[in-house]
Amino acid sequence: GAEAVENAVKIARAHTKRQAVVVFDHGYHGRTNLTMALTSKNMPYKHSFGPFAPEVYRVPVAYPYRWLTGPENCADEAAAQAIDQISKQIGAENVAAIVIEPVLGEGGFIEPAKGFLPQLARFAKENGIVFVADEIQSGFCRTGQWFACEDEDIVPDLITTAKGIAGGLPLAAVTGRAEIMDSAHTGGLGGTYGGNPVACAAALGSIETMRELDLPARAKRIEEVMKPRLQKLAGQHEVIGDVRGRGAMLAIELVKPGGKEPNPEATAALAKACHQNGLLVLTTGTYGNVMRFLPPLVIGEDLLNEGLDVLENALSTL
């Protein structure tokens, strides 16, 4: 995935003849030197590993739960702030690419407020900036659509993909418009597993399986089962401040009762209790206070509900 993002930046710089790259608060893009620079969170991804690649600039993202003036104002205000910072602090004419996850993964499964991404995409188009959707975690049916950017009818200039593309085998891709993709000189792009025949065959098989099983619909069904139960738990446990996500990419954000102060201690304790009772869960988020759920898209509903039962019982122990 990191190689895909790096190649996307190379392509954007070759196409625009510009250098600056704009990324967002809470974003995650990889662990190589350039993608560490693009990534927002310090620990464990960046701590003590610098110096990092230059000409990377970070701007606000529309994080509805934590937007100070409320989620109803989040999209327009965050977009205005981001665009103002790009225009005033960097200069739109210096920006090669805007890189964003349509649903932010490691940063806490943040779904940007509706309207935020279209405003950014429009700004990029008006200023000749390559708009890159990092769909490495959110792509290939995970959010209930083939790609998360489809939710608001966004057509990126470039899309980066990996993870789900090959069913666990190492493969990544950059897909985009020909006039942009062809900007890099011959031999300028490559990757460790570029053209690997086994990984490519696995990707073709994985994509065909996604079609045959209609995995976007399966992801939506997972949301239909999980989200009401998570919301019910949020009503019963004040420690759950937010329930969010789409499809089979869902999360709860844990806070200290009575406010929105992040509660990483409770999150760690909840994860430990789940693990002790046979449920594998992962914590994430810039503040370490988000529990994320990425069930297999082919999971049976009995097993899915069994996992939710374990989560419910674990919450009662906090």
Side-chain angles (χ1 to χ4, degrees), residues 60-71:
V61 74
Y63 188 166
Y65 179 64
R66 295 198 170 276
W67 198 255
L68 290 176
T69 61

Side-chain angles (χ1 to χ4, degrees), residues 76-114:
D76 290 343
E77 290 182 1
Q81 286 185 26
I83 290 169
D84 182 69
Q85 288 186 27
I86 294 168
S87 302
K88 301 297 191 298
Q89 297 180 25
I90 312 164
E93 68 278 7
N94 296 315
V95 178
I98 292 174
V99 184
I100 190 168
E101 303 160 275
V103 177
L104 282 70
E106 304 297 315
F109 277 31
I110 300 163
E111 185 179 3
K114 292 287 187 287

Side-chain angles (χ1 to χ4, degrees), residues 26 31 70 102 124 197 221 303:
H26 309 289
R31 295 175 183 260
R221 177 58 188 160
L303 189 59

Side-chain angles (χ1 to χ4, degrees), residues 231-252:
Q231 289 166 339
K232 182 180 178 181
L233 290 172
Q236 297 169 341
H237 300 276
E238 199 177 356
V239 71
I240 300 177
D242 193 28
V243 175
R244 58 176 178 257
R246 294 204 308 268
M249 190 173 182
L250 302 172
I252 54 175

